[in-house]
Amino acid sequence: MAALPISLIVITHNEASNIARCLDSVPFAAEKIVVDSGSTDGTQDIAQACGARVVQQEWLGFGPQRNFASTLSSHDWIVVLDADEFMTDALIAECARELPAIMASDNAAVWLRRETWYMGAPMRWYRPLRGEVKARIYHRDRAKWTNARVHESLEFDGKAASLSAPFSHRNNPTLVHKQLKVLRYSELKALDWFEHKRGVSMWSAPLVFVGSFIKDYVFRLGFMDGWRGFILSQVAASYAIYKRMRYYEMQRDPQTIDEARSQLVKHGLEH
């Protein structure tokens, strides 16, 4: 497949089990860049063996890390994937057909559809993990990632094209991985709230838990995916309430921020 003047960018930390599959899934990218934040499992060596340029960068937060990575690209058009994501054969073929015209246009970004596998099988009904639409291809002068520590998004004002074939996400190989990610993401979100002095209302916490579970299990069709949908809905509700409890703790006792960080670093959850 002929290379296109586009760069694949992946940010990593200890992604040895995923990075090769991710990098190899974008054969049309003329350049592949991995921005690593101190991996100790050989991620960098595997990435280099797959033809990627590896740049070390201390962790800045998801949004700032992606924006930093964009500055390293030799091309204005960029593809962003997480290490546990990869393009399907159908999407590769569609990109080969459609991207040259899109890249020659004044589009700011391209919407892609993501399919997620969970507990060994694709989710069929649960809306957050079935057919999510993500802006993952963009022109770096026309789009930028928000500066959020977590749950960042790509912001742009211009037009965006869409591709129909999906890219694939292999979500958390075990519930242990998922719970550790919830712990880390909750800390990052609470830090964002703390920095911006957001108000907190702990009286609403029970309602937040129940409301979040009902939203995911009923209205987002989690119940249609059986026990997997139930588990995901419960985890989502637990995340919604835990990050609020952690933020409340930060407000009550700010010294817990450094104490918690030391524990997260100790167990490899922060870097």
Side-chain angles (χ1 to χ4, degrees):
M1 181 179 297
L4 297 175
I6 193 169
S7 298
L8 168 64
I9 289 177
V10 187
I11 59 175
T12 60
H13 179 73
N14 289 339
E15 293 286 358
S17 61
N18 293 316
I19 190 61
R21 179 182 61 195
C22 175
L23 293 172
D24 290 344
S25 77
V26 191
F28 56 82
E31 178 182 50
K32 301 179 182 182
I33 301 171
V34 168
V35 177
D36 186 77
S37 54
S39 292
T40 57
D41 65 348
T43 294
Q44 305 98 319
D45 293 336
I46 296 171
Q48 289 174 337
C50 291
R53 173 161 61 100
V54 177
V55 176
Q56 291 295 320
Q57 171 59 48
E58 183 179 347
W59 184 245
L60 303 171
F62 281 96
Q65 194 84 345
R66 294 196 196 280
N67 283 326
F68 167 78
S70 294
T71 68
L72 302 174
S73 173
S74 301
H75 306 287
D76 288 330
W77 280 94
I78 293 171
V79 182
V80 164
L81 292 177
D82 291 336
D84 60 355
E85 298 170 340
F86 59 94
M87 287 195 174
T88 61
D89 290 341
L91 180 56
I92 294 169
E94 189 174 12
C95 285
R97 292 193 308 269
E98 304 296 337
L99 276 185
I102 293 173
M103 292 166 61
S105 72
D106 60 353
N107 281 291
V110 182
W111 295 104
L112 303 181
R113 185 169 61 85
R114 184 169 77 171
E115 62 176 14
T116 296
W117 283 58
Y118 186 67
M119 291 189 174
M123 299 302 293
R124 298 298 186 188
W125 295 95
Y126 181 53
R127 288 180 178 176
L129 299 186
R130 174 60 180 168
E132 298 170 281
V133 177
K134 303 282 187 180
R136 291 299 188 84
I137 300 176
Y138 62 96
H139 190 290
R140 65 177 170 184
D141 292 335
R142 304 169 191 164
K144 185 178 181 180
W145 295 94
T146 58
N147 279 321
R149 286 185 174 90
V150 68
H151 303 316
E152 74 290 358
S153 61
L154 190 67
E155 292 186 330
F156 54 91
D157 294 326
K159 297 184 298 182
S162 297
L163 298 181
S164 58
F167 69 103
S168 190
H169 179 211
R170 292 300 190 261
N171 188 277
N172 303 294
T174 71
L175 271 175
V176 173
H177 290 79
K178 180 63 175 178
Q179 294 290 10
L180 291 174
K181 182 179 286 188
V182 164
L183 186 65
R184 183 184 178 216
Y185 280 20
S186 296
E187 192 71 12
L188 294 173
K189 193 64 179 178
L191 284 169
D192 270 348
W193 289 345
F194 186 84
E195 185 177 287
H196 293 93
K197 296 181 171 58
R198 171 176 163 160
V200 60
S201 301
M202 281 305 297
W203 64 266
S204 66
L207 299 177
V208 168
F209 180 87
V210 173
S212 176
F213 180 84
I214 292 174
K215 177 182 70 176
D216 280 78
Y217 192 63
V218 179
F219 297 106
R220 290 181 169 177
L221 304 182
F223 72 95
M224 295 288 288
D225 274 306
W227 286 114
R228 291 186 305 152
F230 174 87
I231 291 167
L232 282 167
S233 299
Q234 191 279 333
V235 171
S238 296
Y239 171 59
I241 192 172
Y242 176 76
K243 63 188 176 184
R244 286 168 171 80
M245 293 190 298
R246 178 67 183 117
Y247 176 48
Y248 176 76
E249 182 180 38
M250 287 180 182
Q251 286 192 317
R252 293 268 308 180
D253 189 3
Q255 73 177 13
T256 64
I257 294 174
D258 289 336
E259 293 172 345
R261 175 175 170 75
S262 69
Q263 288 299 305
L264 292 171
V265 169
K266 178 181 178 180
H267 293 286
L269 298 178
E270 188 55 85
H271 44 280

